[in-house]
Amino acid sequence: MVHQIWAALLYLCGILLNAIYQCPEYSQLTTQGVDGKEFPEPHLGRWYFIAGAAPTKEELVTFDPVDNIVFNMATGSAPMKLQLRATIRMKNGLCVPRKWIYHLTEGSTDLRTEGRPDMKTKLFSSSCPGGIMLKESGQGYQRFLLYNRSPHPPEKCVEEFQSLTSCLDFKAFLRTPRNQEACELSSN
């Protein structure tokens, strides 16, 4: 009898805590962008990778050797396509260029990566000025990634991102060290 009362009391405390403490809200971006401009125009241009979070470290292992990454998002050669170029500064000093083509999903901000049918990318707003979050998922992984227009956003932005993702049970967290200068983006 005492065990049943104790279990019921713990259960009620759990419900009360869940009602009081909820994860902070984040909202998926809509097709209408900033100042009424159509997506993706407000999201074109230069972005810096700041941090990532995932349920496990294995889902972030690709970023372990990285010092910093700078991206450029541009319109693609055809409607409903975006071209993403990046230069990755490895911790050993090497610069590694990369290119992706994203296909826009009509009526949403979901992106599909060309050549990776299993990969799905969703864009989310960030409370951080000049910030954006991406949720990538595919076969066997999911992760949130924080980007910013500045290579060094306010510390509060990274703390809020870590708090949000931790609340969503993403236990692994990685922040790029940015100890070296960013590599130059190629013009082609």
Side-chain angles (χ1 to χ4, degrees), residues 93-183:
L94 292 177
C95 292
V96 180
R98 290 283 186 256
K99 288 183 184 181
W100 297 267
I101 299 290
Y102 279 137
H103 295 266
L104 296 168
T105 303
E106 191 160 340
S108 81
T109 59
D110 291 0
L111 304 172
R112 296 285 182 178
T113 306
E114 191 168 281
R116 304 259 325 258
D118 64 310
M119 186 174 178
K120 186 176 181 181
T121 303
K122 291 180 177 247
L123 298 175
F124 294 90
S125 61
S126 169
S127 61
C128 182
I132 194 168
M133 293 185 300
L134 274 69
K135 182 179 182 186
E136 291 183 343
S137 57
Q139 286 186 329
Y141 75 92
Q142 63 176 331
R143 56 188 172 222
F144 269 103
L145 306 173
L146 177 65
Y147 294 87
N148 200 278
R149 295 289 189 181
S150 166
H152 303 285
E155 187 61 31
K156 181 183 176 195
C157 295
V158 179
E159 290 169 0
E160 287 177 1
F161 173 75
Q162 188 171 13
S163 175
L164 168 69
T165 55
S166 176
C167 184
L168 295 170
D169 211 23
F170 281 51
K171 294 174 176 63
F173 180 79
L174 177 137
R175 184 175 182 173
T176 55
R178 295 183 303 280
N179 292 326
Q180 304 174 53
E181 289 292 317
C183 300

